[in-house]
Amino acid sequence: MLKLLLRRFLFLIVTLFAVSVTVFAISELAPGDMATNVLGNTITPDQRASFNAQNGLDQPALTRYRRWMLGSDREAAQLIGAPVDRFYDTENNQTNWWVVGSNETIYRHRSEDGEVILQLERALLPDGKLGPSRIVALGDEIWVTNDEGEEIFWGVNEDGRAAMWIRGLNQSEERLTRAGWISTAGAPSAYIPLQKGLLRGDPGISLITRQPVIDTLVPRLLNTLFLAGIAFVIIMPLALFLGVIAGLYEGRPLDRVLSVGGLVATATPEFASGVFLIVIFAVWLGWFPGAVVIPPGTSIFEQPQMLILPIMTLMLVELGYVLRVTRASMSEVLRTNYIRTAVLKGLPYWQVIWRHALRNALLAPITVIMLHINWLIGGIVVVETLFGFPGLGSYVLASALNNDVFALQAATMILVVIAVVSQLLADLIYVYLNPRIRYT
Protein backbone atom coordinates (compact mmCIF):
# COMPACT_ATOMS: atom_id res chain seq x y z
CA MET A 1 0.00 0.00 0.00
CA LEU A 2 2.72 2.45 1.00
CA LYS A 3 4.81 1.53 -2.05
CA LEU A 4 1.81 2.11 -4.29
CA LEU A 5 1.22 5.57 -2.86
CA LEU A 6 4.91 6.44 -3.10
CA ARG A 7 5.04 5.39 -6.76
CA ARG A 8 1.94 7.39 -7.52
CA PHE A 9 3.31 10.46 -5.77
CA LEU A 10 6.61 10.25 -7.65
CA PHE A 11 4.67 9.84 -10.87
CA LEU A 12 2.70 12.98 -9.95
CA ILE A 13 5.91 15.01 -9.52
CA VAL A 14 7.40 13.77 -12.80
CA THR A 15 4.13 14.49 -14.62
CA LEU A 16 3.93 18.03 -13.32
CA PHE A 17 7.53 18.71 -14.34
CA ALA A 18 6.96 17.30 -17.83
CA VAL A 19 3.76 19.30 -18.26
CA SER A 20 5.45 22.51 -17.07
CA VAL A 21 8.13 22.05 -19.73
CA THR A 22 5.46 21.31 -22.34
CA VAL A 23 3.33 24.33 -21.43
CA PHE A 24 6.36 26.62 -21.53
CA ALA A 25 7.52 25.14 -24.85
CA ILE A 26 4.09 25.58 -26.45
CA SER A 27 4.09 29.26 -25.50
CA GLU A 28 7.56 29.55 -27.00
CA LEU A 29 6.49 27.90 -30.26
CA ALA A 30 3.46 30.13 -30.74
CA PRO A 31 3.63 31.92 -34.11
CA GLY A 32 5.05 35.44 -34.00
CA ASP A 33 6.86 37.08 -31.13
CA MET A 34 5.10 37.69 -27.83
CA ALA A 35 5.25 41.49 -28.07
CA THR A 36 3.40 41.47 -31.40
CA ASN A 37 0.85 38.95 -30.11
CA VAL A 38 0.07 41.11 -27.08
CA LEU A 39 0.37 44.64 -28.50
CA GLY A 40 -0.48 44.11 -32.17
CA ASN A 41 1.54 44.45 -35.34
CA THR A 42 1.49 48.27 -35.32
CA ILE A 43 4.26 48.64 -32.74
CA THR A 44 7.62 50.00 -33.81
CA PRO A 45 10.89 48.05 -33.51
CA ASP A 46 11.94 50.26 -30.58
CA GLN A 47 8.68 49.59 -28.77
CA ARG A 48 9.03 45.86 -29.38
CA ALA A 49 12.61 45.80 -28.10
CA SER A 50 11.70 47.85 -25.01
CA PHE A 51 8.68 45.66 -24.23
CA ASN A 52 10.73 42.47 -24.56
CA ALA A 53 13.52 43.81 -22.36
CA GLN A 54 11.18 45.07 -19.61
CA ASN A 55 9.39 41.71 -19.43
CA GLY A 56 12.51 39.57 -19.68
CA LEU A 57 11.48 38.18 -23.07
CA ASP A 58 14.90 38.95 -24.55
CA GLN A 59 16.55 36.37 -22.29
CA PRO A 60 17.32 32.75 -23.28
CA ALA A 61 14.42 30.30 -22.92
CA LEU A 62 16.21 28.32 -20.19
CA THR A 63 16.68 31.47 -18.10
CA ARG A 64 13.02 32.43 -18.46
CA TYR A 65 11.87 28.91 -17.55
CA ARG A 66 14.08 28.93 -14.45
CA ARG A 67 12.70 32.29 -13.37
CA TRP A 68 9.14 31.14 -14.06
CA MET A 69 9.52 28.05 -11.90
CA LEU A 70 11.97 29.16 -9.18
CA GLY A 71 11.60 32.94 -9.24
CA SER A 72 13.98 35.80 -9.85
CA ASP A 73 13.84 37.67 -6.52
CA ARG A 74 16.89 35.95 -5.06
CA GLU A 75 18.90 36.60 -8.22
CA ALA A 76 17.90 40.27 -8.12
CA ALA A 77 18.63 40.57 -4.39
CA GLN A 78 22.22 39.41 -4.95
CA LEU A 79 22.75 42.05 -7.64
CA ILE A 80 21.10 44.81 -5.62
CA GLY A 81 22.77 43.86 -2.35
CA ALA A 82 19.51 43.95 -0.38
CA PRO A 83 16.39 41.76 -0.22
CA VAL A 84 13.37 42.54 -2.37
CA ASP A 85 9.75 41.77 -1.58
CA ARG A 86 6.19 42.61 -2.57
CA PHE A 87 4.11 45.10 -0.59
CA TYR A 88 0.49 46.17 -0.94
CA ASP A 89 -0.04 49.89 -1.36
CA THR A 90 -3.49 50.92 -0.09
CA GLU A 91 -3.22 54.34 -1.75
CA ASN A 92 -2.77 52.89 -5.25
CA ASN A 93 -4.70 49.68 -4.52
CA GLN A 94 -1.99 47.48 -5.99
CA THR A 95 0.88 45.19 -5.02
CA ASN A 96 4.38 45.92 -6.22
CA TRP A 97 8.03 45.11 -5.60
CA TRP A 98 10.34 47.20 -3.44
CA VAL A 99 13.86 46.97 -2.04
CA VAL A 100 13.73 46.27 1.70
CA GLY A 101 15.96 48.64 3.65
CA SER A 102 17.57 48.01 7.02
CA ASN A 103 15.80 50.88 8.81
CA GLU A 104 12.12 49.92 8.41
CA THR A 105 11.94 51.52 4.97
CA ILE A 106 11.40 50.29 1.45
CA TYR A 107 12.49 52.08 -1.69
CA ARG A 108 12.54 52.17 -5.49
CA HIS A 109 14.62 54.11 -8.00
CA ARG A 110 14.47 56.19 -11.13
CA SER A 111 16.76 58.46 -13.10
CA GLU A 112 16.05 61.37 -15.38
CA ASP A 113 19.47 61.75 -16.99
CA GLY A 114 21.33 58.49 -16.39
CA GLU A 115 23.70 60.28 -14.00
CA VAL A 116 21.76 60.82 -10.76
CA ILE A 117 19.67 58.05 -9.22
CA LEU A 118 16.60 59.25 -7.34
CA GLN A 119 15.40 57.03 -4.52
CA LEU A 120 11.73 56.94 -3.55
CA GLU A 121 11.55 55.91 0.11
CA ARG A 122 8.50 54.85 2.11
CA ALA A 123 8.30 53.87 5.75
CA LEU A 124 6.85 50.55 6.90
CA LEU A 125 4.24 51.35 9.55
CA PRO A 126 3.49 48.94 12.43
CA ASP A 127 0.04 48.11 10.99
CA GLY A 128 1.68 46.84 7.78
CA LYS A 129 0.72 49.85 5.68
CA LEU A 130 3.13 52.10 3.80
CA GLY A 131 3.86 55.52 5.16
CA PRO A 132 4.37 58.79 3.27
CA SER A 133 7.08 58.89 0.63
CA ARG A 134 10.09 61.09 0.14
CA ILE A 135 12.58 61.38 -2.70
CA VAL A 136 16.32 61.64 -2.11
CA ALA A 137 19.19 61.88 -4.62
CA LEU A 138 21.86 59.22 -4.19
CA GLY A 139 25.54 60.18 -4.33
CA ASP A 140 28.43 58.90 -6.41
CA GLU A 141 29.26 56.13 -3.92
CA ILE A 142 26.38 53.97 -5.20
CA TRP A 143 28.06 53.32 -8.56
CA VAL A 144 30.08 50.13 -8.96
CA THR A 145 32.59 49.49 -11.75
CA ASN A 146 32.00 46.22 -13.61
CA ASP A 147 34.45 44.11 -15.62
CA GLU A 148 33.89 46.24 -18.73
CA GLY A 149 34.90 49.40 -16.87
CA GLU A 150 31.32 50.75 -16.78
CA GLU A 151 29.82 52.33 -13.68
CA ILE A 152 26.58 50.51 -12.92
CA PHE A 153 23.85 50.55 -10.28
CA TRP A 154 21.25 47.88 -9.56
CA GLY A 155 17.90 48.79 -8.00
CA VAL A 156 14.15 48.42 -8.45
CA ASN A 157 12.54 50.84 -10.88
CA GLU A 158 9.13 52.49 -10.61
CA ASP A 159 7.44 49.62 -12.44
CA GLY A 160 8.64 47.11 -9.85
CA ARG A 161 11.36 45.45 -11.92
CA ALA A 162 14.97 44.93 -10.95
CA ALA A 163 16.90 47.29 -13.22
CA MET A 164 20.51 48.19 -13.98
CA TRP A 165 21.54 51.73 -14.88
CA ILE A 166 24.84 52.49 -16.64
CA ARG A 167 26.22 55.88 -15.65
CA GLY A 168 26.44 58.34 -18.50
CA LEU A 169 24.37 56.17 -20.85
CA ASN A 170 21.29 58.35 -21.07
CA GLN A 171 19.12 56.05 -23.14
CA SER A 172 15.37 56.28 -23.55
CA GLU A 173 12.69 53.78 -22.66
CA GLU A 174 9.41 53.09 -24.45
CA ARG A 175 6.66 52.54 -21.90
CA LEU A 176 3.05 51.58 -22.54
CA THR A 177 0.64 53.51 -20.31
CA ARG A 178 -3.12 54.03 -20.35
CA ALA A 179 -2.53 57.17 -22.37
CA GLY A 180 -0.47 55.27 -24.94
CA TRP A 181 3.24 54.89 -25.59
CA ILE A 182 5.56 57.42 -23.95
CA SER A 183 9.33 57.78 -24.20
CA THR A 184 11.27 58.56 -21.01
CA ALA A 185 14.93 59.43 -20.59
CA GLY A 186 17.38 57.98 -18.08
CA ALA A 187 16.14 54.44 -18.65
CA PRO A 188 17.91 51.32 -17.32
CA SER A 189 20.01 49.19 -19.62
CA ALA A 190 18.88 45.79 -18.28
CA TYR A 191 15.82 44.42 -16.46
CA ILE A 192 14.88 41.41 -14.39
CA PRO A 193 11.10 40.96 -13.99
CA LEU A 194 10.58 40.12 -10.34
CA GLN A 195 8.62 37.06 -9.28
CA LYS A 196 8.87 34.36 -6.63
CA GLY A 197 8.25 31.56 -9.08
CA LEU A 198 5.47 29.11 -9.72
CA LEU A 199 6.67 26.74 -6.98
CA ARG A 200 6.22 29.54 -4.43
CA GLY A 201 2.84 30.64 -5.77
CA ASP A 202 3.92 33.62 -7.87
CA PRO A 203 3.84 32.93 -11.64
CA GLY A 204 4.60 36.53 -12.57
CA ILE A 205 2.87 39.68 -13.79
CA SER A 206 -0.01 39.74 -16.23
CA LEU A 207 0.98 41.31 -19.54
CA ILE A 208 -2.48 42.86 -19.87
CA THR A 209 -3.42 44.12 -16.39
CA ARG A 210 0.19 44.63 -15.13
CA GLN A 211 -0.94 43.09 -11.82
CA PRO A 212 0.34 39.87 -10.22
CA VAL A 213 -1.34 36.92 -11.89
CA ILE A 214 -1.95 35.23 -8.56
CA ASP A 215 -4.05 38.18 -7.32
CA THR A 216 -6.62 37.71 -10.09
CA LEU A 217 -6.27 33.96 -10.55
CA VAL A 218 -6.99 32.84 -6.98
CA PRO A 219 -10.44 34.54 -6.69
CA ARG A 220 -11.41 33.03 -10.06
CA LEU A 221 -10.25 29.59 -8.93
CA LEU A 222 -12.21 29.84 -5.67
CA ASN A 223 -15.36 30.81 -7.58
CA THR A 224 -15.00 27.82 -9.88
CA LEU A 225 -14.26 25.47 -6.98
CA PHE A 226 -17.40 26.73 -5.25
CA LEU A 227 -19.56 26.28 -8.34
CA ALA A 228 -18.05 22.90 -9.24
CA GLY A 229 -18.24 21.72 -5.63
CA ILE A 230 -21.95 22.42 -5.38
CA ALA A 231 -22.57 20.79 -8.76
CA PHE A 232 -20.47 17.76 -7.77
CA VAL A 233 -22.25 17.25 -4.45
CA ILE A 234 -25.63 17.31 -6.21
CA ILE A 235 -24.80 15.51 -9.45
CA MET A 236 -22.65 12.54 -8.45
CA PRO A 237 -24.78 10.96 -5.68
CA LEU A 238 -27.93 11.48 -7.74
CA ALA A 239 -26.33 10.05 -10.89
CA LEU A 240 -24.97 7.02 -9.02
CA PHE A 241 -28.34 6.37 -7.40
CA LEU A 242 -30.29 6.63 -10.64
CA GLY A 243 -27.67 4.54 -12.47
CA VAL A 244 -27.91 1.76 -9.89
CA ILE A 245 -31.72 1.83 -10.10
CA ALA A 246 -31.58 1.65 -13.91
CA GLY A 247 -29.17 -1.29 -13.72
CA LEU A 248 -31.33 -3.17 -11.23
CA TYR A 249 -34.44 -2.72 -13.39
CA GLU A 250 -32.69 -3.31 -16.72
CA GLY A 251 -35.09 -3.56 -19.64
CA ARG A 252 -38.10 -2.25 -17.68
CA PRO A 253 -39.91 1.04 -18.35
CA LEU A 254 -38.06 2.83 -15.53
CA ASP A 255 -34.73 1.83 -17.06
CA ARG A 256 -35.84 3.02 -20.50
CA VAL A 257 -36.93 6.40 -19.19
CA LEU A 258 -33.70 6.98 -17.25
CA SER A 259 -31.44 5.74 -20.07
CA VAL A 260 -33.14 7.74 -22.82
CA GLY A 261 -33.34 10.85 -20.63
CA GLY A 262 -29.66 10.55 -19.74
CA LEU A 263 -28.70 10.06 -23.39
CA VAL A 264 -30.66 13.15 -24.48
CA ALA A 265 -29.15 15.26 -21.67
CA THR A 266 -25.61 14.14 -22.48
CA ALA A 267 -25.99 14.65 -26.22
CA THR A 268 -27.21 18.23 -25.81
CA PRO A 269 -24.29 20.74 -25.83
CA GLU A 270 -23.84 22.99 -22.83
CA PHE A 271 -24.52 26.17 -24.78
CA ALA A 272 -27.81 24.75 -26.07
CA SER A 273 -29.04 23.43 -22.72
CA GLY A 274 -27.98 26.66 -21.02
CA VAL A 275 -29.94 28.75 -23.52
CA PHE A 276 -32.96 26.47 -23.09
CA LEU A 277 -32.84 26.91 -19.33
CA ILE A 278 -32.55 30.69 -19.69
CA VAL A 279 -35.56 30.79 -22.03
CA ILE A 280 -37.68 28.52 -19.83
CA PHE A 281 -36.90 29.77 -16.34
CA ALA A 282 -35.88 33.39 -16.95
CA VAL A 283 -38.01 34.38 -19.93
CA TRP A 284 -41.14 32.23 -19.84
CA LEU A 285 -41.50 31.63 -16.12
CA GLY A 286 -39.68 34.79 -15.02
CA TRP A 287 -38.14 33.09 -11.99
CA PHE A 288 -34.59 34.42 -12.38
CA PRO A 289 -34.87 37.65 -14.39
CA GLY A 290 -31.82 39.27 -12.78
CA ALA A 291 -29.63 36.20 -12.54
CA VAL A 292 -29.16 35.22 -16.16
CA VAL A 293 -25.83 37.02 -16.55
CA ILE A 294 -23.71 37.86 -13.51
CA PRO A 295 -22.75 41.58 -13.60
CA PRO A 296 -18.98 42.25 -13.64
CA GLY A 297 -17.58 42.88 -10.19
CA THR A 298 -20.53 41.23 -8.44
CA SER A 299 -19.69 38.66 -5.78
CA ILE A 300 -21.35 35.30 -6.29
CA PHE A 301 -22.31 35.34 -2.61
CA GLU A 302 -24.27 38.59 -2.97
CA GLN A 303 -26.88 36.89 -5.16
CA PRO A 304 -26.85 33.10 -4.58
CA GLN A 305 -29.67 32.66 -7.09
CA MET A 306 -27.10 33.42 -9.80
CA LEU A 307 -25.70 29.91 -9.26
CA ILE A 308 -28.94 28.05 -9.97
CA LEU A 309 -28.95 28.14 -13.77
CA PRO A 310 -25.20 27.36 -14.17
CA ILE A 311 -25.55 24.38 -11.80
CA MET A 312 -28.63 23.12 -13.65
CA THR A 313 -26.72 23.38 -16.94
CA LEU A 314 -23.86 21.32 -15.53
CA MET A 315 -26.29 18.79 -14.11
CA LEU A 316 -27.94 18.12 -17.46
CA VAL A 317 -24.62 17.19 -19.05
CA GLU A 318 -22.96 15.34 -16.19
CA LEU A 319 -25.98 13.56 -14.75
CA GLY A 320 -26.83 11.60 -17.88
CA TYR A 321 -23.24 10.52 -18.59
CA VAL A 322 -22.45 9.19 -15.12
CA LEU A 323 -25.92 7.63 -14.91
CA ARG A 324 -25.42 5.58 -18.07
CA VAL A 325 -21.92 4.44 -17.09
CA THR A 326 -23.18 3.36 -13.66
CA ARG A 327 -26.13 1.57 -15.22
CA ALA A 328 -23.88 -0.37 -17.61
CA SER A 329 -21.45 -1.30 -14.82
CA MET A 330 -24.26 -2.43 -12.52
CA SER A 331 -25.84 -4.56 -15.24
CA GLU A 332 -22.51 -6.23 -15.99
CA VAL A 333 -21.83 -7.01 -12.33
CA LEU A 334 -25.29 -8.54 -11.85
CA ARG A 335 -24.50 -11.07 -14.62
CA THR A 336 -21.31 -12.34 -12.97
CA ASN A 337 -21.09 -15.83 -11.50
CA TYR A 338 -20.34 -14.79 -7.93
CA ILE A 339 -23.54 -12.72 -7.77
CA ARG A 340 -25.57 -15.65 -9.07
CA THR A 341 -23.86 -17.95 -6.53
CA ALA A 342 -24.70 -15.57 -3.68
CA VAL A 343 -28.36 -15.49 -4.76
CA LEU A 344 -28.52 -19.29 -5.10
CA LYS A 345 -27.10 -19.67 -1.59
CA GLY A 346 -30.19 -17.92 -0.33
CA LEU A 347 -28.71 -14.59 0.72
CA PRO A 348 -31.24 -11.77 0.83
CA TYR A 349 -31.43 -9.95 -2.50
CA TRP A 350 -30.70 -6.47 -1.17
CA GLN A 351 -27.83 -7.80 0.93
CA VAL A 352 -26.27 -9.24 -2.24
CA ILE A 353 -26.76 -5.93 -4.02
CA TRP A 354 -25.42 -3.78 -1.18
CA ARG A 355 -22.49 -5.90 0.03
CA HIS A 356 -21.31 -7.54 -3.20
CA ALA A 357 -22.65 -6.01 -6.40
CA LEU A 358 -22.58 -2.31 -5.53
CA ARG A 359 -18.99 -2.28 -4.34
CA ASN A 360 -17.66 -3.69 -7.63
CA ALA A 361 -20.11 -1.79 -9.80
CA LEU A 362 -18.69 1.52 -8.55
CA LEU A 363 -15.19 0.88 -9.93
CA ALA A 364 -16.03 2.05 -13.48
CA PRO A 365 -18.05 5.13 -12.41
CA ILE A 366 -15.19 6.22 -10.13
CA THR A 367 -12.95 6.61 -13.20
CA VAL A 368 -15.58 8.69 -14.96
CA ILE A 369 -16.26 10.81 -11.89
CA MET A 370 -12.60 11.61 -11.35
CA LEU A 371 -12.14 12.52 -15.00
CA HIS A 372 -15.19 14.76 -14.82
CA ILE A 373 -13.78 16.59 -11.80
CA ASN A 374 -11.24 18.03 -14.23
CA TRP A 375 -14.05 18.99 -16.59
CA LEU A 376 -16.05 20.62 -13.82
CA ILE A 377 -13.03 22.68 -12.73
CA GLY A 378 -11.49 23.73 -16.01
CA GLY A 379 -13.73 22.63 -18.83
CA ILE A 380 -16.80 24.71 -18.01
CA VAL A 381 -15.64 27.56 -20.20
CA VAL A 382 -18.90 27.51 -22.15
CA VAL A 383 -21.07 27.58 -19.03
CA GLU A 384 -19.07 30.35 -17.35
CA THR A 385 -18.99 32.42 -20.53
CA LEU A 386 -22.70 31.92 -21.18
CA PHE A 387 -23.70 33.13 -17.71
CA GLY A 388 -20.84 35.61 -17.24
CA PHE A 389 -19.59 33.61 -14.27
CA PRO A 390 -16.22 34.93 -12.96
CA GLY A 391 -14.47 31.57 -12.78
CA LEU A 392 -11.33 29.83 -13.94
CA GLY A 393 -12.83 28.71 -17.26
CA SER A 394 -13.68 32.22 -18.39
CA TYR A 395 -10.27 33.37 -17.08
CA VAL A 396 -8.49 30.85 -19.32
CA LEU A 397 -10.59 31.95 -22.29
CA ALA A 398 -9.90 35.65 -21.70
CA SER A 399 -6.17 35.01 -21.24
CA ALA A 400 -6.01 33.05 -24.48
CA LEU A 401 -7.94 35.68 -26.44
CA ASN A 402 -5.76 38.49 -25.05
CA ASN A 403 -2.50 36.55 -25.49
CA ASP A 404 -1.76 36.95 -21.79
CA VAL A 405 0.84 34.18 -21.77
CA PHE A 406 1.89 34.33 -18.11
CA ALA A 407 -1.72 34.18 -16.92
CA LEU A 408 -2.51 31.36 -19.34
CA GLN A 409 0.53 29.35 -18.23
CA ALA A 410 -0.40 29.68 -14.56
CA ALA A 411 -4.05 28.72 -15.14
CA THR A 412 -2.99 25.74 -17.24
CA MET A 413 -0.68 24.47 -14.52
CA ILE A 414 -3.49 24.73 -11.97
CA LEU A 415 -5.71 22.62 -14.22
CA VAL A 416 -2.92 20.05 -14.56
CA VAL A 417 -2.42 19.89 -10.78
CA ILE A 418 -6.15 19.30 -10.30
CA ALA A 419 -6.13 16.59 -12.98
CA VAL A 420 -3.15 14.73 -11.50
CA VAL A 421 -4.36 15.01 -7.90
CA SER A 422 -7.84 13.77 -8.85
CA GLN A 423 -6.28 10.71 -10.49
CA LEU A 424 -4.28 10.08 -7.32
CA LEU A 425 -7.52 10.21 -5.33
CA ALA A 426 -9.07 7.78 -7.82
CA ASP A 427 -6.23 5.34 -7.17
CA LEU A 428 -6.82 5.58 -3.42
CA ILE A 429 -10.52 4.90 -3.91
CA TYR A 430 -9.69 1.91 -6.12
CA VAL A 431 -7.56 0.46 -3.35
CA TYR A 432 -10.41 0.91 -0.88
CA LEU A 433 -13.06 -0.63 -3.14
CA ASN A 434 -10.89 -3.49 -4.44
CA PRO A 435 -8.49 -4.91 -1.80
CA ARG A 436 -6.77 -7.07 -4.44
CA ILE A 437 -5.03 -3.93 -5.72
CA ARG A 438 -3.23 -3.59 -2.39
CA TYR A 439 -1.39 -6.85 -2.98
CA THR A 440 -0.53 -6.35 -6.65
Side-chain angles (χ1 to χ4, degrees), residues 327-391:
R327 181 248 184 205
S329 179
M330 192 68 186
S331 299
E332 182 180 356
V333 170
L334 290 177
R335 296 191 186 97
T336 57
N337 292 330
Y338 73 90
I339 295 295
R340 294 175 181 174
T341 302
V343 173
L344 292 175
K345 284 184 177 181
L347 293 177
Y349 179 73
W350 287 107
Q351 183 179 352
V352 173
I353 297 300
W354 180 258
R355 297 187 59 180
H356 300 283
L358 184 61
R359 192 182 187 97
N360 292 285
L362 290 179
L363 289 175
I366 288 299
T367 303
V368 175
I369 289 174
M370 288 304 170
L371 290 175
H372 279 239
I373 288 178
N374 306 328
W375 186 88
L376 281 173
I377 298 297
I380 53 178
V381 178
V382 174
V383 176
E384 292 186 353
T385 303
L386 180 63
F387 294 97
F389 188 84

Side-chain angles (χ1 to χ4, degrees), residues 34-35 39 43-59 64 67 72 96-97 154-165 171-177 180-195 204-207 210 406:
M34 200 172 298
L39 304 174
I43 59 175
T44 65
D46 291 340
Q47 293 170 348
R48 178 184 294 106
S50 183
F51 178 86
N52 288 335
Q54 293 176 44
N55 293 282
L57 302 176
D58 58 343
Q59 297 297 311
R64 286 186 281 118
R67 291 175 177 175
S72 60
N96 217 325
W97 287 88
W154 276 97
V156 172
N157 70 349
E158 293 180 307
D159 294 327
R161 301 182 179 95
M164 182 190 72
W165 283 266
Q171 61 184 26
S172 60
E173 172 188 69
E174 297 289 335
R175 298 176 57 192
L176 181 61
T177 64
W181 287 94
I182 60 174
S183 180
T184 58
S189 299
Y191 302 87
I192 299 179
L194 291 172
Q195 60 187 103
I205 302 295
S206 168
L207 296 176
R210 299 309 310 160
F406 298 147

Side-chain angles (χ1 to χ4, degrees), residues 270-282:
E270 301 94 321
F271 64 86
S273 57
V275 171
F276 290 153
L277 292 176
I278 292 175
V279 172
I280 294 173
F281 291 99

Side-chain angles (χ1 to χ4, degrees), residues 80 91 150 215 244 252 263 308 310 379:
I80 295 173
E91 294 181 1
E150 300 170 325
D215 291 349
V244 170
R252 301 182 185 180
L263 180 61
I308 297 177

Side-chain angles (χ1 to χ4, degrees), residues 251-333:
R252 301 182 185 180
L254 179 59
D255 173 39
R256 300 301 183 191
V257 172
L258 292 176
S259 298
V260 173
L263 180 61
V264 172
T266 304
T268 306
E270 301 94 321
F271 64 86
S273 57
V275 171
F276 290 153
L277 292 176
I278 292 175
V279 172
I280 294 173
F281 291 99
V283 178
W284 291 353
L285 300 178
W287 289 0
F288 312 110
V292 175
V293 177
I294 302 176
T298 302
S299 172
I300 60 176
F301 301 103
E302 296 178 7
Q303 301 182 24
Q305 68 273 17
M306 297 187 301
L307 299 174
I308 297 177
L309 292 182
I311 291 176
M312 291 178 64
T313 304
L314 296 176
M315 285 183 60
L316 288 177
V317 179
E318 292 293 294
L319 186 65
Y321 193 86
V322 178
L323 184 154
R324 296 179 69 247
V325 172
T326 306
R327 181 248 184 205
S329 179
M330 192 68 186
S331 299
E332 182 180 356
V333 170

